[in-house]
Amino acid sequence: MVTLGELVLIQELHRQGLSISAIAQQVGRDRKTVRRHINKGLEPPTYKPRPKQPRLIEAYEPYIRERIALFPTMSAQRLLREIIEKGYKGKYTQVRKFVASVKPPKTREFERRFETPPGKQAQIDFAEFAVSFTDEDSIDDQGVVTPVNRKVWLFSFVLGHSRWLWGSFCPNQNLATVLRCHVAALEELRSLGGGAPQETLYDRMKTAVIGEDPNGVLIFNESLTALLSYYDITPRACKAYRPKTKGKVERPFRYIREDFFLGRTFKNMEDLNQQFTTWRNEVANARKHATTGRFISEAVAEECSALTALPLQPYDAVLGVERRITRDGMVSVDGNLYSVPNGVKRRTVEIQIHTDTIKIYEQSNLIAVHPVLQGKNGRRVDPAHRAVKPKASLPIQGQANAGHQGVQTRPLEVYDDIAAILASQPVPAASLSGVPL
């Protein structure tokens, strides 16, 4: 079969005046073939249709159609094993392509938006952020500033009906942080005239859901359950790998990154949370929500009336742990160091982690109270724990015997007389009985 490239070469060589024999020798074709194509001119070659080759799967197509009709979701791998038992010698690719052509197309259902009534639900989750604090930047000898990147986590609390947002950036996701953030969010709702929702929805984070029982019932963390019971809240958990179940708290994370986080600088964790609180009050909770079409500040004012009234006192979460005292009189709690007073006798003390305070006990006696430090690698020393005791002052000359009453003073001549008497002759003890010593 002469290719189009060979036809072009034959015509070009013929135009240059080469003989048919020379052209045939150069292109490697017979002279008759060369002459025929010179006479025909430059025409694309025509090819006869290739005869249809029998496919190995054709004999098994009726069986596959029948199985798909009965079981539309049956896999191609399963069907391949079945037809191999019937003698199929082909490859899996033919089976997969044929199964895809005969399976009914999947109908994609539209997503249903789930709206919660006022006061019904709050959705809670964490999101990870990478940040560099200017207070922690390292500066080398040439004055080059190298930022130190670290991870922080944003705890987010969103009311399902009004989309009111509360959040706080935290150094970790441990249980003490989770309890502290719950109490802080509910206390801010108290300041707005509201209270607690009927239920809180979580994903499968370990500080909320710790497992399932043999019947598939979720087991929630006891400390978290105690806090929620105090506020009359029921915990709920969404299905695994179903983030859309709690989309009201998932979607704001992207909004927070794009509208607040990007392009800002922060000195430290405290500055980060201060800026976030300002943005949350002035921007996020003051905007008109795109889905509900309502201003969040107005919607939350209405939802507050549907929330459950809070107890008079905030929940005081207590987590008890034991810690050893370091040589410099410090104990470590959640990556931070807190001082204990001088003179503590025991090397191990009990730590009670409350919502906002750290209390240290020695044999059930309270010996120290500290505010909870945010972040890690912090160090707090109570000045009272390191107070230096004043040294005892020496008595001033002339005042040594001022406080001693009844001590008789005598001139030094008396001692000279006594010495002379003793040196001259032995004196009976009775003769000296009247001499005052």
Side-chain angles (χ1 to χ4, degrees), residues 290-424:
T291 301
T292 63
R294 301 184 61 190
F295 288 97
I296 295 179
S297 57
E298 298 176 357
V300 72
E302 296 181 6
E303 187 171 14
C304 281
S305 61
L307 297 173
T308 304
L310 299 177
L312 295 178
Q313 296 296 327
Y315 181 75
D316 190 10
V318 178
L319 299 176
V321 295
E322 286 190 352
R323 291 290 185 269
R324 285 185 62 85
I325 302 175
T326 62
R327 292 183 177 180
D328 55 348
M330 309 294 288
V331 292
S332 177
V333 181
D334 291 336
N336 295 307
L337 294 174
Y338 301 88
S339 65
V340 297
N342 290 330
V344 176
K345 298 178 180 180
R346 294 177 61 87
R347 296 292 297 171
T348 303
V349 292
E350 179 187 353
I351 310 295
Q352 289 189 1
I353 306 173
H354 295 254
T355 305
D356 299 315
T357 58
I358 300 291
K359 295 183 179 181
I360 305 175
Y361 291 83
E362 181 188 22
Q363 293 182 326
S364 302
N365 296 320
L366 180 64
I367 60 174
V369 179
H370 296 274
V372 174
L373 296 178
Q374 295 295 327
K376 291 186 177 181
N377 302 320
R379 183 183 179 92
R380 186 181 189 277
V381 179
D382 190 336
H385 295 170
R386 299 296 181 264
V388 180
K389 295 182 179 180
K391 295 182 179 179
S393 59
L394 295 175
I396 302 175
Q397 187 176 2
Q399 297 180 353
N401 298 324
H404 297 277
Q405 301 296 329
V407 179
Q408 185 179 1
T409 60
R410 56 181 67 86
L412 295 178
E413 290 78 3
V414 174
Y415 296 98
D416 294 336
D417 295 340
I418 295 174
I421 294 172
L422 294 176
S424 61

Side-chain angles (χ1 to χ4, degrees), residues 129 254-266:
F129 286 74
R254 179 181 174 184
Y255 169 62
I256 292 170
R257 291 182 190 274
E258 297 175 351
D259 198 279
F260 165 74
F261 193 76
L262 296 179
R264 290 178 182 253
T265 58
F266 311 101

